[in-house]
């Protein structure tokens, strides 16, 4: 199984470290040919507007949409969540959202960089809380048909899944806890 990490912009290096430590030998994806080689993909945090533009500039938007429609397993964190959502508030006009998970998100809904925070999250079915790292994170404003909420913070979804697509508002690659990546590799 070949795991790709979308490496156009943002926190892709930390995802690679966690995946490598789990023995997954991740590859960086920047081109349609590289995308075609992978069986699953991580879309990192960063700046969703920049990643969206770079997907267009690199000819990756349509190939990515096709792979998602085919059910390629995908994990999108923070900016990755925004890109995989079905709707985005406060994006730029024409910002891509691929609709892999039927949620609508608001960019920077938890505030600015200085409002970043850590908090423990209860993620079913794990007994130990998961360290949630939120950095200019998107707020999930609504959840539509087909999307499943796996964790909430103060009544708002922060981890959602629809089929083989998983999205988190937080940064599991910065948690010092590899359970979410392990679960994505083994069970999604
Ligand atoms: N606010 C960023 C965006 O809109 C996401 C922040 C992050 O990925 N840490 O893309």
């Amino acid at each position: 199984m070949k795991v790709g990490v979308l490496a156009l912009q943002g926190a892709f290096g930390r995802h690679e470290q966690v995946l490598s430590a789990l023995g997954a030998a991740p590859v960086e994806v920047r081109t349609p040919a590289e995308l075609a080689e992978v069986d699953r993909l991580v879309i990192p945090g960063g700046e969703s507007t920049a990643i969206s533009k770079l997907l267009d500039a690199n000819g990756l938007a349509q190939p990515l949409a096709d792979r998602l429609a085919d059910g390629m397993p995908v994990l999108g964190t923070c900016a990755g969540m925004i890109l995989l959502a079905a709707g985005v508030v406060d994006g730029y006009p024409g910002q891509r959202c691929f609709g892999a998970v039927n949620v609508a998100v608001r960019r920077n809904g938890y505030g600015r960089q200085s409002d970043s925070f850590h908090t423990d999250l209860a993620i079913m079915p794990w007994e130990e809380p998961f360290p949630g790292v939120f950095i200019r994170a998107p707020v999930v404003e609504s959840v539509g048909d087909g999307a499943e909420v796996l964790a909430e913070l103060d009544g708002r979804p922060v981890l959602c899944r629809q089929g083989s697509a998983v999205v988190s508002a937080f940064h599991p690659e910065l948690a010092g806890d590899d359970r979410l990546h392990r679960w994505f590799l083994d069970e999604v």
Side-chain angles (χ1 to χ4, degrees):
M1 178 184 67
K2 211 163 166 182
V3 188
V5 180
L6 187 69
L8 297 174
Q9 191 269 338
F12 52 89
R14 295 298 293 260
H15 279 288
E16 287 169 31
Q17 286 172 13
V18 179
L19 293 166
S20 297
L22 290 170
V27 296
E28 295 186 347
V29 170
R30 294 190 184 83
T31 65
E34 288 164 346
L35 178 63
E37 290 293 304
V38 301
D39 303 304
R40 54 181 61 223
L41 185 69
V42 174
I43 303 182
E47 195 53 53
S48 59
T49 54
I51 297 173
S52 176
K53 287 176 183 161
L54 289 165
L55 284 169
D56 284 325
N58 289 28
L60 269 167
Q62 191 58 48
L64 177 58
D66 292 344
R67 290 298 305 275
L68 293 171
D70 285 347
M72 171 183 65
V74 64
L75 170 64
T77 62
C78 203
M81 171 189 244
I82 297 169
L83 286 156
L84 292 171
V88 54
V89 180
D90 281 354
Y92 76 88
Q95 176 161 355
R96 295 274 178 185
C97 55
F98 289 91
V101 181
N102 194 7
V103 294
V105 299
R106 176 180 294 277
R107 290 184 61 225
N108 304 325
Y110 287 98
R112 305 160 65 97
Q113 188 87 14
S114 55
D115 300 315
S116 298
F117 60 96
H118 293 204
T119 190
D120 279 349
L121 299 171
I123 299 181
M124 291 290 287
W126 301 333
E127 282 175 17
E128 293 295 315
F130 190 88
V133 180
F134 291 78
I135 305 169
R136 287 189 305 123
V139 163
V140 175
E141 297 218 313
S142 61
V143 179
D145 287 347
E148 190 186 345
V149 176
L150 302 180
E152 288 183 345
L153 176 63
D154 299 333
R156 288 161 158 172
V158 293
L159 178 67
C160 300
R161 174 180 188 172
Q162 183 157 349
S164 52
V166 178
V167 288
S168 69
F170 54 93
H171 284 261
E173 79 284 8
L174 300 177
D177 183 323
D178 63 12
R179 279 178 293 168
L180 195 67
H181 288 81
R182 217 177 326 135
W183 170 76
F184 174 64
L185 293 175
D186 294 345
E187 287 174 51
V188 175

